[in-house]
Amino acid sequence: MSGQSLLVPGKLSPARPVPASIPRPEYVGKEAPTPYAGPEVQDAETIERMRIAGRIAAQAMEEAAKHIAPGVTTDELDRVAHEFMCDHGAYPSTLGYRGFPKSLCSSVNEVICHGIPDSTVLRDGDIVNLDVTAYIGGVHGDNNATYLCGDVDEESRLLVERTREALNRAIKAVKPGRRINIIGRVIESYAKRFGYGVVRDFTGHGINSSFHSGLIVPHYDSPHHDTLIQPGMTFTIEPMLTLGTYEYDMWDDGWTVVTKDRKRTAQFEHTLVVTDTGAEILTLP
């Protein structure tokens, strides 16, 4: 594995402004969002609005990813995605969600998820996950992907490649009439081939007018999560695979989650809608 030194918190820049003309999610300025009480199955009009939100989120992530290179700060990636979403009339969903201070999550190397963009400088050989969610038209679109920075070692490159494949396999397993735990069963059985850990405490989730609706989509085989998959349901799948343990520690910032053994981890995510025959990806650029 790469011999990179472990990450330490960097310095935060001031919060980036969002034009007043862009509608905010209801949770901005509050400690927590209002619990979602609506259905997991969405109507056609809501799904169409989610296609727009998903496309903007995917394009913003793609734009930020173009800037990944040794010497660039994670804060700069946040700036790029923030400006792209605002320029397209979307609010960056993470900004102000339960107090999160930035417009995307940047999780580098041993960071499993929820890394806060700051003055951290990317190094040759890093792997970088960007998690971008856009809010527009009253709905959210959420996606993430892990990128290679410079010359990355083979073990890390394979982890990234196989995590992407785990997501693809899970999406193909989504069919109406199946139970939601088919998703985790497919991911975990694939990850076990390579001895990877599968993170358990951070999951996929229902998404619609709510950033997190309450529906839980585990990435491991869980008999307790047996919600019936139905056409029109909208949720994310976002497996987090590790080179070692799935156990984790959290930094003092209350957000940044790192592997307990500090080995590397990768993640990929799409927002989906269940169709009559499978699943449509809503977060395509």
Side-chain angles (χ1 to χ4, degrees):
M1 196 181 82
S2 167
Q4 298 281 49
S5 58
L6 297 177
L7 291 166
V8 295
K11 184 179 178 183
L12 277 180
S13 65
R16 293 193 160 86
V18 177
S21 59
I22 295 176
R24 273 73 168 149
E26 59 83 23
Y27 52 75
V28 173
K30 295 164 55 178
E31 283 189 10
T34 302
Y36 178 71
E40 297 298 344
V41 172
Q42 306 303 309
D43 60 31
E45 190 266 341
T46 302
I47 292 164
E48 184 54 40
R49 285 186 282 126
M50 288 184 69
R51 282 194 186 94
I52 295 168
R55 184 166 62 246
I56 291 172
Q59 290 172 338
M61 184 175 73
E62 196 175 58
E63 196 62 34
K66 291 176 185 175
H67 294 75
I68 291 175
V72 175
T73 64
T74 54
D75 189 64
E76 172 64 8
L77 305 179
D78 181 81
R79 182 194 65 78
V80 173
H82 176 94
E83 292 181 0
F84 185 95
M85 284 185 273
C86 291
D87 287 348
H88 289 78
Y91 185 91
S93 300
T94 60
L95 184 61
Y97 179 78
R98 296 183 182 271
F100 192 85
K102 291 294 174 180
S103 299
L104 58 71
C105 300
S106 56
S107 301
V108 180
N109 297 344
E110 69 269 20
V111 179
I112 295 172
C113 57
H114 304 159
I116 301 175
D118 58 19
S119 61
T120 297
V121 176
L122 297 179
R123 301 162 298 182
D124 187 56
D126 284 342
I127 59 173
V128 186
N129 179 272
L130 300 182
D131 193 334
V132 179
T133 310
Y135 176 81
I136 188 172
V139 295
H140 301 267
D142 185 3
N143 68 164
N144 77 53
T146 304
Y147 300 91
L148 309 181
C149 181
D151 185 18
V152 174
D153 68 275
E154 180 75 356
E155 185 179 39
S156 299
R157 190 185 62 75
L158 285 172
L159 173 69
V160 170
E161 187 179 295
R162 290 165 177 165
T163 306
R164 182 191 289 111
E165 176 62 15
L167 172 60
N168 291 340
R169 288 173 181 237
I171 292 170
K172 288 175 185 171
V174 174
K175 307 274 185 200
R178 290 180 170 178
R179 300 287 171 176
I180 207 90
N181 53 16
I182 186 69
I183 292 167
R185 193 171 307 132
V186 165
I187 291 168
E188 188 169 43
S189 63
Y190 178 70
K192 276 184 174 177
R193 290 193 207 174
F194 311 105
Y196 294 155
V198 182
V199 172
R200 302 167 83 86
D201 288 357
F202 301 91
T203 67
H205 52 89
I207 184 170
N208 38 63
S209 59
S210 173
F211 194 170
H212 299 88
S213 73
L215 175 69
I216 294 172
V217 184
H219 303 119
Y220 63 99
D221 189 359
S222 169
H224 307 296
H225 294 87
D226 60 353
T227 304
L228 185 69
I229 297 173
Q230 303 174 65
M233 287 176 74
T234 49
F235 53 82
T236 72
I237 304 176
E238 45 188 299
M240 291 152 259
L241 304 187
T242 68
L243 289 176
T245 183
Y246 61 75
E247 295 181 340
Y248 65 91
D249 294 320
M250 189 175 285
W251 282 5
D252 291 342
D253 61 25
W255 285 105
T256 306
V257 179
V258 294
T259 53
K260 190 168 277 293
D261 57 13
R262 303 303 191 263
K263 291 187 177 179
R264 287 187 168 191
T265 174
Q267 182 185 16
F268 283 84
E269 173 188 21
H270 276 305
T271 295
L272 312 170
V273 59
V274 181
T275 67
D276 290 336
T277 57
E280 176 194 345
I281 298 171
L282 298 177
T283 38
L284 290 176

